[in-house]
Amino acid sequence: MSEGSRGDSLAFGQVVIGPPGSGKTTYCHAMREFLGRLGRSVAVVNLDPANEALPWPCALDIAELITLPDVMDSLGLGPNGGLLYCMEYLEANADWLRERLQGLRGHYVLFDCPGQVELYTHHESLKNVLAQLAKWNFRLAAVHLVDSHYCTDPGKFISVLCTSLSTMLHVELPHVNVLSKMDLIEQYGKLAFNLDYYTEVLDLSYLVDHLASDPFFRNFRRLNEKLVEVIEDYSLVSFVPLNVQDKQSMRGVMQAVDKANGYSFGDQEHRSLEALMSAAVGADFHFASTLAVQEKYVQSQDKAVEEEVMDL
């Protein structure tokens, strides 16, 4: 008999990961509110020992077990080494986590994870904890948040693609990559291509050509070409755009995650979703739609093409 078959009921949820400042905690709060409106019982679990002042209530906090400041003070470690130690300590005390999670059975669980990239690209402890969750009958999808401002810098975007691919291969969970803070993307600068180019990760040779216009990156064209080849050979990375203030955007991410982790909602939730999506604009949402941003870039490119045709 497997460990997960000993009376543990099936539970669904999301493992929210990503670099610091990508909006993981804000996403967890927004998704909890959104799913709660659909009738799901949602619980947020904080697995970030560096997250001392949580802005939102959570059902379970790793601070009950260990905190980063305590580790740094007692062991003389820096923030990076201390965070790795905390995850190793959590792995060693997996029974504590399982006992606490028993009280959340029947809930859809959002795991708010630390922002240290090493945890998702090559360190084993968090990966092993997630493997334990799978044995305990949790059906999870990794939601990897990336700040959308990286789209405005081709070099940084290639770096993000490499990190996302490495994370997908290492974490070994159904994976949804998300471009967060789409409502702020126009403040970061003009995109070189349509938004679809970045979300669908289309022909990256255009991105290499765009990089070559910079004298610094021109010297590394061959390296960039090889990095792009690796990303395209795996053909795994794509992104879902997210604006947490836009219910259409939240719905798109929710549906992508539900498809990834196998969650299937019933008729009552479907009716709640339809009612929510058809509701008039209220004080709880600000509908600066992501689609409007996308349409703007599509229209601007179409206009540019028309002008080129006229010039000919």
Side-chain angles (χ1 to χ4, degrees):
M1 180 180 291
S2 67
E3 185 178 355
S5 62
R6 299 173 187 166
D8 285 343
S9 59
L10 195 64
F12 291 88
Q14 305 177 23
V15 178
V16 184
I17 61 179
S22 57
K24 296 183 295 296
T25 301
T26 301
Y27 169 85
C28 287
H29 173 69
M31 186 57 72
R32 186 190 67 169
E33 293 291 318
F34 186 81
L35 295 178
R37 290 167 177 256
L38 305 183
R40 294 192 201 181
S41 297
V42 183
V44 177
V45 173
N46 176 45
L47 292 183
D48 185 358
N51 206 350
E52 295 182 86
L54 291 170
W56 329 110
C58 62
L60 174 59
D61 192 350
I62 193 177
E64 300 173 21
L65 176 69
I66 191 170
T67 65
L68 180 59
D70 288 343
V71 169
M72 293 172 62
D73 291 341
S74 60
L75 299 180
L77 295 173
N80 291 338
L83 195 51
L84 296 179
Y85 178 87
C86 288
M87 291 299 101
E88 292 169 357
Y89 191 82
L90 176 63
E91 180 188 2
N93 291 272
D95 289 341
W96 172 88
L97 181 61
R98 183 174 189 179
E99 180 182 340
R100 297 300 192 279
L101 289 173
Q102 289 292 344
L104 301 180
R105 288 293 173 176
H107 288 75
Y108 187 96
V109 185
L110 302 174
F111 293 91
D112 187 0
C113 295
Q116 192 166 354
V117 176
E118 298 97 304
L119 293 172
Y120 315 119
T121 56
H122 57 272
H123 196 259
E124 295 292 327
S125 290
L126 187 58
K127 173 185 175 181
N128 294 337
V129 170
L130 298 179
Q132 282 293 331
L133 290 172
K135 292 180 181 179
W136 301 337
N137 273 344
F138 279 89
R139 298 295 177 261
L140 303 172
V143 179
H144 184 213
L145 299 183
V146 175
D147 198 316
S148 61
H149 86 265
Y150 291 117
C151 294
T152 61
D153 187 317
K156 290 180 179 178
F157 187 66
I158 290 178
S159 176
V160 162
L161 293 174
C162 292
T163 303
S164 298
L165 177 59
S166 179
T167 300
M168 295 175 75
L169 297 175
H170 181 73
V171 173
E172 296 180 347
L173 282 177
H175 214 91
V176 177
N177 293 304
V178 174
L179 284 176
S180 63
K181 306 179 186 178
M182 286 301 300
D183 52 318
L184 302 177
I185 191 169
E186 291 186 305
Q187 299 179 18
Y188 298 137
K190 183 175 177 58
L191 298 181
F193 305 99
N194 286 346
L195 189 60
D196 284 348
Y197 180 86
Y198 299 93
T199 57
E200 300 301 326
V201 188
L202 302 175
D203 188 351
L204 295 178
S205 62
Y206 293 106
L207 204 60
V208 175
D209 292 337
H210 189 71
L211 267 176
S213 62
D214 187 312
F216 175 80
F217 287 108
R218 190 179 301 132
N219 297 326
F220 300 96
R221 182 184 181 98
R222 185 62 176 164
L223 173 62
N224 291 327
E225 288 175 346
K226 290 301 181 182
L227 290 174
V228 163
E229 286 178 12
V230 171
I231 296 166
E232 292 184 329
D233 285 346
Y234 277 94
S235 190
L236 290 175
V237 185
S238 62
F239 295 94
V240 179
L242 171 66
N243 171 7
V244 295
Q245 296 179 333
D246 180 2
K247 61 183 179 180
Q248 293 285 357
S249 180
M250 291 292 291
R251 179 186 189 181
V253 173
M254 179 200 72
Q255 291 175 331
V257 175
D258 284 350
K259 182 177 180 181
N261 65 14
Y263 183 90
S264 178
F265 54 81
D267 291 339
Q268 180 57 48
E269 182 172 323
H270 180 72
R271 289 193 293 269
S272 299
L273 178 61
E274 292 302 318
L276 175 62
M277 300 310 295
S278 61
V281 175
D284 294 335
F285 287 96
H286 306 283
F287 303 119
S289 176
T290 301
L291 296 178
V293 177
Q294 181 174 347
E295 183 178 358
K296 176 179 179 180
Y297 282 108
V298 171
Q299 290 176 345
S300 63
Q301 187 187 55
D302 291 343
K303 183 177 180 181
V305 172
E306 290 177 2
E307 291 175 351
E308 290 180 3
V309 172
M310 293 298 293
D311 290 339
L312 293 176

